[in-house]
Amino acid sequence: MSLQITIDGRSLSVEKGQTLLQVARENGIDIPTLCDFPGLPSHGSCRMCVVEIEGRSNTPTACTTLAEDGMVVQTNSPIVQAQRIELLKLLLSEHTSSCLICTEKSHCDECMVTLRKAGVTTGCRSCSMDGACALQDLVERFGITEIGYPVRYRMLPVQKQDPFFDRDYNLCILCERCVRVCEENHFSSTLTLAGRGTDAIVSTAFGRTHIEAGCSFCGACVEVCPTGTLSEKTRKWDGKPEREVSTTCPLCSLGCQIDLLVKNDMVIGSLPAHASGSDMLCVKGRFGITELVNHPTRLGHPIAVNREGSLPVSWEQAIEAAAEKISSCAPGKYGMLISADCSNETLYVARKFVREAARSNHLRTSSTALYGDGLPVLQRLYGLAQPLSVLSEADIILCLGFDGTYAQSVVDVGLHRAKKHGAKLVTLNANEHSLSKAADEWLRPEPGEEADVIEMLVENTRMGEQQNRLSPIASQAQRVSDMLLKSRQAIILLGPAFLTHPDNLFLLKAVERLVAQTAAQLIILPDSANLAGAFRTGIITPATTAGLQDLEVLHLVGETVPPHLPDQPFILYQNIYPPRRDLPAGLILPAAAFTEEDGTFLDHAGRTRSIQRAVPAPGEALPSWQILCRIARKLGVAGFDYENAAQVRAEYETTGFTGADFAISVPGLLQPGLDVFQWVRREDHAYMGFPLGTLVAGFRRLYPE
Amino acid sequence: MVKILENKMIVPNICTITVFAPEIAGSVKAGQFAILRVDEDGERIPLTVSDWDAERGTITMVYVMVGKTTQKLATLTTNDTLATVVGPLGNPMEIDLFGKVICIGGCYGNASIYPIARALKEKGNRVTSIIEGRSSYMLYWQEKLKTVSDQLIVITRDGSQGKAGHIGNLKSILAAGTPPDRVIVNGCNYLMMRAAQETLPFKIKTIVSLNTLMIDGTGMCGVCRVTVNSSTKFACVDGPHFDAHEVDWDELAQRRKAYLSEEVQTLRSSMAQ
């Protein structure tokens, strides 16, 4: 039903149920707001949006007042304008506002350079939000030059004891955007309003740290904060970004779309790419990326290593030396290990390089060890993989080995949304995890007995009838089976922990049967960014192990140096960080990070995701596929003349692959005696073979080694 | 190892630290500084000795948290130790019977001007102290300064206490009463430079205490180079007190930024503190 109202003399036709603020915005009428934020429910706490309504003695907030037929509204009358200014001055009197009204503020930008790094914010110039602050905008809009009220600084200690962001509630205006985004959009209740009156403060329950309070560090609260109260530790002193570049987060297989914030050709932050429909990130994509790609150890120049030491060399020298080693290598004595964190372009060129340039069959990835015995089943299951969006169709979701506490927390949010819309949530996990409290049923076997529980579900759903169950978990499994049998659309979500579980062969086989039995849709969520790409290019194949002792050249692309290399082959080490252990002899070839090259990944559902070059690579570092092409050309091999990633991609997309290409004669990097399983296991939550905790300071707390 | 007796934030972002350093406490004079290191491989930072007690063997310094080291320093507490405290360094402030002296302090200078005002007062000068801050809650040591000043004038940016505005107020203060015989300014470069601009038309001798980057503080490294009256001086051994009207302020400001990217680099960490 349509209503007629008048705003600022304009007669407008509006839908019933719309607030005055919504109507005004839709019609280009600008009402100032502070606590309002897109996607959050109306709150009415800041009172900046007060309006005058004919026939009413008070001035209600436009964000909480529904349009009524015949209403006559003034959004900019002297009364509401005066009220807004007084309200804003009251807020300023409890904010570090002196810079806002300082008569010499124009000098500050050039003169107060060092003070910008203040440990505690005492004014705009030392505030992380300088230039992007909602209060600054309003002060300018209203032309405020004095505060007029006694000022107060609460002298609250700045909360710095959590990783990733600081909290300075001396700057807080109590708009509660953070509380609302946490609760309403992220189904988490980390934050709340504590205290009353002048003591009111946003806090965790009992004033605990965010880690103790169960925060997943998704950073949504930091993004919605209109002031500098919540500030990203690594971005406090950078000010506003100059530009944003949309790309894909490469820190797991979800393929979340992110906006890289760039200033002075440096990535200074990352946010969800709202324009691409990505409205949230987990801690990895939100807070992990800047330190990862700007790490002070990043390689910028090629280095030759021999027994005497290491020596910087030019790319020409490095490429020539690499080509010479490969060409003088006996047939079958060259092997490449490549990370499933690499782009499709690099995986494709690597594959071609091994076959055509190095003339070898030895191409492997550490993922082969990570996913171990279960790989053939996982590869079959990948044919069924669905995107996260199917969660909205489910009436029961069975989460197997999923824990979104500090990774893939966006999946947690999807699960909570599905639950809110009526889906039952069942989780299978031997340990406390992010779904422990939210799940309708938590199947909690002893560690190592997870496969048995899935077998029970398979068996129960096959038998389809109630049986007499002795153990609690068996009767619980029966209940879950009944739910599965009655369900319209079941979804099985396979988390990283089960994919890499030591028993994954049995687990995945049982899951395969359960999927068949229940016609469930399947979501697979590996940690490795481009596992699907590695499958497609045939780089991951079920491994048979053979001796490692014969390799003369070991080429590592985005992989770290394995321990205990018996024959000490010549190592071509191609990565973005220096090797963690000394090379006996080899070449260190600096590669570009995902922020420095164009390319694509295949996400967990096999969809193509793009990465974009946002900044130059450090020094002379090159995209990995380009390094391989240069070596191949030096070897005199044709077919490596790509001018850009798009040309590689065009060839990759028209090529069919079979894993069988590499199924023969595998170098035994993965044989049990070499403790390689241990080596790979440590690389959960890793990028290019390096545990995130060794690169990003805040991750040390979340992913202790 | 030097023991910390007290270390606390007194107003937002400004802290006082009192340490047991009897040798320094027994010999330091107004206007001298000490260089401390938080730990063995830490950065060396010069801080003015703002008060001392020769009997108890303690010295007190006031610092602003503006980087890695000062933020680390702020995390220490009573009975923690500093790796080293070296001092007294630099020349004492010239103290004589000048007549009327205006002592101006901003930021950490609210404190570092105190022993200078005290010494001038003891010498028989008429002392007017001016302190400035962004807001009333940024001011400290007012009671102490009152005890050594004939007059205390307060300036706040937001007018929450005393005169509203910035050091531009100095012009009207100078014009109002008998002009002072000397003006001494301690604080950030901006405050000192602007104060010098205000006193220049009145031709009043103005002394500033420069706070350049320093390493050894004994004239060896040259990091603290400043151009004064067209010749190169070392703030540590030739200063830190110079005639404000002879200082090359633009060069000083540029040199202050020399390691800015490195300073920010050390702060660019997501680590919990």
Side-chain angles (χ1 to χ4, degrees):
Chain A
M1 197 182 92
S2 177
L3 310 169
Q4 284 301 123
I5 69 166
T6 307
I7 301 184
D8 295 345
R10 284 171 62 188
S11 183
L12 303 167
S13 179
V14 303
E15 293 298 313
K16 193 173 177 179
Q18 283 193 293
T19 65
L20 294 179
L21 182 62
Q22 286 169 333
V23 175
R25 283 200 176 141
E26 280 176 17
N27 290 283
I29 299 166
D30 186 16
I31 301 178
T33 57
L34 267 180
C35 66
D36 177 71
F37 195 82
L40 292 180
S42 295
H43 198 239
S45 66
C46 75
R47 305 199 62 81
M48 276 304 122
C49 67
V50 286
V51 290
E52 242 188 306
I53 301 174
E54 214 170 86
R56 294 202 190 174
S57 57
N58 65 345
T59 47
T61 46
C63 68
T64 56
T65 306
L66 294 178
E68 288 172 25
D69 203 29
M71 254 182 186
V72 179
V73 183
Q74 293 291 333
T75 69
N76 212 7
S77 69
I79 289 178
V80 294
Q81 201 64 353
Q83 283 187 2
R84 286 172 190 156
I85 288 174
E86 289 314 301
L87 287 164
L88 185 61
K89 284 182 175 179
L90 282 167
L91 284 176
L92 295 176
S93 73
E94 291 205 354
H95 191 79
T96 53
S97 310
S98 54
C99 291
L100 287 168
I101 52 170
C102 176
T103 49
E104 306 211 0
K105 65 181 166 192
S106 54
H107 301 286
C108 251
D109 284 330
E110 41 180 319
C111 297
M112 292 217 173
V113 189
T114 54
L115 198 63
R116 283 199 73 89
K117 303 179 271 94
V120 176
T121 300
T122 57
C124 302
R125 292 297 95 78
S126 58
C127 180
S128 59
M129 282 289 272
D130 190 16
C133 169
L135 291 178
Q136 284 180 328
D137 292 345
L138 287 179
V139 164
E140 191 166 328
R141 177 170 176 161
F142 296 144
I144 290 176
T145 53
E146 48 94 33
I147 293 170
Y149 292 99
V151 296
R152 173 175 179 245
Y153 183 84
R154 297 174 73 178
M155 206 67 182
L156 298 164
V158 181
Q159 309 287 330
K160 297 185 175 185
Q161 61 274 62
D162 280 303
F164 307 113
F165 57 90
D166 292 343
R167 294 174 286 138
D168 182 356
Y169 291 115
N170 296 298
L171 310 180
C172 178
I173 57 167
L174 295 171
C175 68
E176 291 184 74
R177 283 187 190 176
C178 54
V179 178
R180 286 178 286 152
V181 79
C182 187
E183 193 170 328
E184 305 278 344
N185 292 8
H186 292 263
F187 301 90
S188 167
S189 305
T190 305
L191 296 170
T192 185
L193 197 65
R196 291 294 179 266
T198 52
D199 292 332
I201 184 174
V202 173
S203 169
T204 57
F206 314 111
R208 295 173 298 177
T209 63
H210 273 219
I211 283 198
E212 290 163 353
C215 174
S216 66
F217 297 95
C218 72
C221 53
V222 183
E223 194 182 355
V224 300
C225 183
T227 69
T229 305
L230 304 179
S231 60
E232 203 172 325
K233 286 177 193 270
T234 56
R235 191 152 75 88
K236 276 189 137 170
W237 300 275
D238 289 316
K240 278 166 98 168
E242 290 163 353
R243 54 194 170 94
E244 296 182 7
V245 180
S246 290
T247 189
T248 302
C249 174
L251 300 181
C252 88
S253 61
L254 276 177
C256 293
Q257 297 301 289
I258 54 174
D259 282 340
L260 297 173
L261 311 180
V262 182
K263 189 168 192 177
N264 298 330
D265 272 344
M266 176 176 168
V267 174
I268 59 167
S270 49
L271 292 173
H274 296 286
S276 318
S278 168
D279 54 356
M280 56 190 74
L281 293 174
C282 79
V283 61
K284 288 184 183 177
R286 178 68 174 83
F287 293 122
I289 286 169
T290 49
E291 273 166 293
L292 210 60
V293 298
N294 297 319
H295 201 272
T297 66
R298 282 289 307 275
L299 293 169
H301 303 278
I303 300 168
V305 184
N306 59 33
R307 281 178 214 290
E308 277 81 55
S310 57
L311 194 71
V313 290
S314 68
W315 265 122
E316 287 67 31
Q317 291 169 315
I319 296 296
E320 190 160 341
E324 193 197 308
K325 278 289 172 188
I326 292 171
S327 60
S328 64
C329 181
K333 303 275 172 132
Y334 166 95
M336 180 190 285
L337 201 59
I338 185 167
S339 166
D341 287 340
C342 292
S343 67
N344 291 326
E345 289 72 9
T346 292
L347 291 175
Y348 172 74
V349 171
R351 177 199 155 92
K352 189 171 168 182
F353 180 91
V354 173
R355 294 308 290 277
E356 297 175 19
R359 299 181 185 284
S360 167
N361 287 325
H362 301 329
L363 176 62
R364 273 292 168 273
T365 162
S366 59
S367 299
T368 310
L370 187 60
Y371 297 94
D373 298 338
L375 261 180
V377 193
L378 181 57
Q379 192 163 13
R380 283 204 300 274
L381 288 174
Y382 244 94
L384 306 171
Q386 295 291 326
L388 274 187
S389 53
V390 300
L391 283 177
S392 61
E393 300 161 17
D395 58 356
I396 178 167
I397 303 164
L398 183 57
C399 304
L400 306 177
F402 176 77
D403 180 3
T405 309
Y406 295 133
Q408 301 183 337
S409 59
V410 297
V411 178
D412 262 346
V413 175
L415 293 171
H416 278 97
R417 272 185 195 154
K419 184 178 154 78
K420 193 177 168 187
H421 291 116
K424 293 285 179 207
L425 209 54
V426 180
T427 179
L428 171 60
N429 204 315
N431 303 307
E432 193 73 45
H433 61 295
S434 63
L435 300 170
S436 304
K437 290 186 183 69
D440 295 289
E441 295 279 357
W442 175 11
L443 296 161
R444 189 177 189 178
E446 292 297 319
E449 293 176 9
E450 293 89 346
D452 302 342
V453 180
I454 303 179
E455 283 297 346
M456 284 181 205
L457 297 176
V458 173
E459 201 54 22
N460 293 344
T461 47
R462 192 174 63 81
M463 303 295 284
E465 60 189 44
Q466 181 77 40
Q467 293 175 11
N468 207 10
R469 298 295 173 190
L470 295 174
S471 70
I473 195 152
S475 54
Q476 204 186 0
Q478 182 66 55
R479 277 203 304 278
V480 172
S481 306
D482 291 345
M483 286 156 73
L484 283 169
L485 285 172
K486 283 181 198 139
S487 76
R488 198 171 22 81
Q489 180 60 65
I491 285 179
I492 294 175
L493 190 144
L494 257 172
F498 273 21
L499 299 178
T500 58
H501 195 284
D503 258 351
N504 66 355
L505 177 60
F506 302 105
L507 273 170
L508 296 177
K509 277 186 169 172
V511 170
E512 197 175 27
R513 285 199 296 278
L514 189 62
V515 168
Q517 201 87 30
T518 57
Q521 304 226 57
L522 184 65
I523 297 172
I524 308 175
L525 299 172
D527 252 347
S528 318
N530 202 16
L531 191 63
F535 275 132
R536 172 163 151 76
T537 41
I539 283 163
I540 295 194
T541 51
T544 53
T545 54
L548 173 72
Q549 46 273 37
D550 292 338
L551 283 187
E552 285 175 22
V553 175
L554 173 59
H555 196 157
L556 301 168
V557 181
E559 299 267 17
T560 51
V561 183
H564 320 304
L565 287 170
D567 289 328
Q568 305 214 327
F570 187 84
I571 293 178
L572 295 172
Y573 175 87
Q574 195 169 318
N575 206 318
I576 70 171
Y577 309 113
R580 275 187 290 177
R581 51 177 68 84
D582 290 339
L583 303 183
L587 284 163
I588 295 173
L589 307 171
F594 79 100
T595 48
E596 298 144 7
E597 61 173 324
D598 295 328
T600 55
F601 288 97
L602 296 185
D603 74 3
H604 66 289
R607 297 170 302 185
T608 300
R609 301 286 193 172
S610 299
I611 53 167
Q612 317 290 343
R613 182 178 188 272
V615 293
E620 305 171 279
L622 292 171
S624 254
W625 63 265
Q626 285 185 19
I627 301 174
L628 297 174
C629 287
R630 286 188 69 166
I631 301 172
R633 290 200 298 268
K634 181 60 78 177
L635 286 164
V637 184
F640 288 88
D641 299 319
Y642 313 103
E643 279 169 21
N644 52 42
Q647 288 185 358
V648 180
R649 186 152 61 252
E651 193 175 295
Y652 156 79
E653 279 168 357
T654 52
T655 308
F657 305 96
T658 64
D661 288 358
F662 291 105
I664 36 165
S665 177
V666 180
L669 281 175
L670 313 169
Q671 73 188 18
L674 293 174
D675 203 21
V676 162
F677 194 71
Q678 208 51 35
W679 165 59
V680 174
R681 283 299 304 173
R682 283 180 61 238
E683 322 213 332
D684 275 0
H685 304 301
Y687 182 59
M688 296 297 171
F690 288 79
L692 295 181
T694 62
L695 301 165
V696 179
F699 284 147
R700 256 170 251 159
R701 287 287 297 278
L702 308 189
Y703 315 131
E705 275 197 69
Chain B
M1 302 290 258
V2 177
K3 192 169 147 186
I4 297 173
L5 302 173
E6 189 180 53
N7 187 25
K8 63 175 182 190
M9 192 169 86
I10 44 171
V11 294
N13 210 39
I14 298 181
C15 309
T16 62
I17 183 167
T18 300
V19 300
F20 185 67
E23 292 86 353
I24 303 175
S27 59
V28 66
K29 293 194 170 59
Q32 287 187 299
F33 64 93
I35 286 186
L36 59 85
R37 281 190 304 170
V38 175
D39 38 36
E40 280 295 333
D41 54 359
E43 182 187 18
R44 301 164 61 92
I45 50 169
L47 299 175
T48 308
V49 181
S50 294
D51 203 359
W52 56 90
D53 184 334
E55 223 162 87
R56 285 175 62 221
T58 64
I59 59 169
T60 298
M61 292 156 288
V62 170
Y63 61 95
V64 186
M65 288 186 270
V66 283
K68 184 84 172 176
T69 301
T70 41
Q71 291 194 37
K72 197 169 181 180
L73 182 60
T75 63
L76 302 179
T77 180
T78 306
N79 291 331
D80 284 343
T81 54
L82 299 173
T84 54
V85 178
V86 178
L89 295 166
N91 299 300
M93 175 64 75
E94 183 193 359
I95 303 293
D96 211 335
L97 184 57
F98 301 112
K100 181 179 174 184
V101 185
I102 291 184
C103 295
I104 304 171
C107 199
Y108 70 87
N110 285 197
S112 68
I113 203 73
Y114 166 73
I116 295 168
R118 182 174 63 189
L120 288 165
K121 182 73 187 154
E122 281 167 3
K123 201 79 182 173
N125 291 285
R126 274 177 299 130
V127 175
T128 295
S129 294
I130 302 176
I131 53 170
E132 65 84 29
R134 290 185 179 180
S135 192
S136 52
Y137 53 77
M138 294 299 294
L139 301 171
Y140 58 95
W141 283 27
Q142 292 187 59
E143 291 308 314
K144 284 177 79 140
L145 271 166
K146 273 183 193 163
T147 63
V148 298
S149 313
D150 296 281
Q151 188 191 10
L152 176 70
I153 298 172
V154 170
I155 302 170
T156 55
R157 224 76 85 239
D158 57 5
S160 54
Q161 190 187 336
K163 294 174 184 290
H166 206 321
I167 194 62
N169 275 298
L170 186 56
K171 185 185 287 177
S172 62
I173 296 169
L174 292 173
T178 341
D181 300 290
R182 182 168 286 224
V183 172
I184 299 170
V185 198
N186 274 204
C188 66
N189 280 351
Y190 180 72
L191 175 79
M192 296 191 286
M193 177 189 74
R194 285 282 294 109
Q197 288 169 357
E198 298 294 345
T199 59
L200 189 60
F202 293 88
K203 298 194 170 55
I204 301 167
K205 176 96 164 172
T206 303
I207 306 293
V208 288
S209 309
L210 301 185
N211 54 17
T212 58
L213 299 176
M214 286 184 192
I215 297 178
D216 63 289
T218 60
M220 291 192 288
C221 74
V223 168
C224 66
R225 278 198 303 282
V226 288
T227 303
V228 180
N229 201 14
S230 305
S231 67
T232 297
K233 299 285 179 192
F234 286 180
C236 63
V237 290
D238 300 324
H241 317 292
F242 295 101
D243 187 324
H245 300 138
E246 296 180 346
V247 172
D248 183 339
W249 293 102
D250 289 340
E251 184 200 66
L252 192 69
Q254 286 306 313
R255 291 188 59 84
R256 199 81 175 76
K257 295 182 207 170
Y259 299 102
L260 195 59
S261 63
E262 286 81 2
E263 289 169 27
V264 171
Q265 175 66 42
T266 63
L267 291 166
R268 213 183 285 280
S269 162
S270 57
M271 181 117 68
Q273 285 171 14

